[in-house]
């Protein structure tokens, strides 16, 4: 019986150590990766289908997206939620350009889903 109790005690110590790490990964790391991937995909979809042209805020942005239909987002940075269902971000584009993009999303706890581009504007 002594060996069984000792093994159970060692397992409980390991669980106490690993449970916070697992919770950290599940609730903070995975949502960060998901939001970046899903957001990049949603913006690239708008660019490749041409929908972002009608959501451009000025002629310079509209002209850029008309002439560069094959461009895509390489990195999403500076995401700031302005309200509980909209936010602003900076998207780095291929070819050393960047765009400020307003998006609408649904939130569920730490998860953001169902992204829609509201407007876009090139940043000089």
């Amino acid at each position: 019986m002594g060996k069984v109790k000792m093994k159970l005690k060692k397992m409980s110590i390991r669980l106490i150590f690993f449970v916070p790490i697992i919770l950290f990964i599940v609730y903070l790391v995975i949502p960060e990766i998901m939001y970046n991937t899903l957001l990049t995909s949603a913006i690239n979809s708008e660019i490749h289908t041409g929908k972002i042209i009608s959501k451009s805020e000025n002629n310079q942005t509209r002209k850029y997206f008309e002439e560069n239909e094959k461009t895509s987002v390489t990195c999403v940075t500076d995401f700031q939620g302005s309200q509980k269902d909209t936010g602003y971000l900076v998207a780095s584009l291929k070819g050393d350009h960047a765009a400020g993009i307003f998006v609408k999303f649904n939130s569920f706890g730490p998860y953001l889903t169902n992204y829609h581009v509201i407007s876009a504007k090139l940043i000089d």
Side-chain angles (χ1 to χ4, degrees), residues 70-84:
K70 300 292 182 190
T71 193
S72 62
V73 173
T74 58
C75 181
V76 173
T77 58
D78 299 332
F79 182 81
Q80 302 170 11
S82 61
Q83 294 176 358
K84 70 178 195 175

Side-chain angles (χ1 to χ4, degrees), residues 3-83:
K3 288 184 179 183
V4 172
K5 285 185 179 181
M6 190 65 122
K7 284 186 178 184
L8 286 174
K9 187 174 182 180
K10 283 183 179 180
M11 280 185 14
S12 67
I13 291 172
R14 288 180 186 159
L15 282 176
I16 290 171
F17 178 73
F18 286 112
V19 167
I21 293 172
I22 292 169
L23 290 174
F24 174 78
I25 290 171
V26 168
Y27 285 106
L28 297 175
V29 175
I30 292 174
E32 180 74 20
I33 294 168
M34 283 179 42
Y35 118 80
N36 197 5
T37 304
L38 292 173
L39 192 52
T40 301
S41 176
I43 297 168
N44 282 336
S45 174
E46 294 271 337
I47 292 171
H48 296 142
T49 59
K51 293 179 182 178
I52 201 162
I53 295 170
S54 65
K55 297 175 182 179
S56 299
E57 288 193 5
N58 57 28
N59 287 334
Q60 178 190 10
T61 304
R62 185 174 292 111
K63 184 177 178 182
Y64 174 80
F65 285 120
E66 286 174 347
E67 293 174 355
N68 298 286
E69 294 174 355
K70 300 292 182 190
T71 193
S72 62
V73 173
T74 58
C75 181
V76 173
T77 58
D78 299 332
F79 182 81
Q80 302 170 11
S82 61
Q83 294 176 358

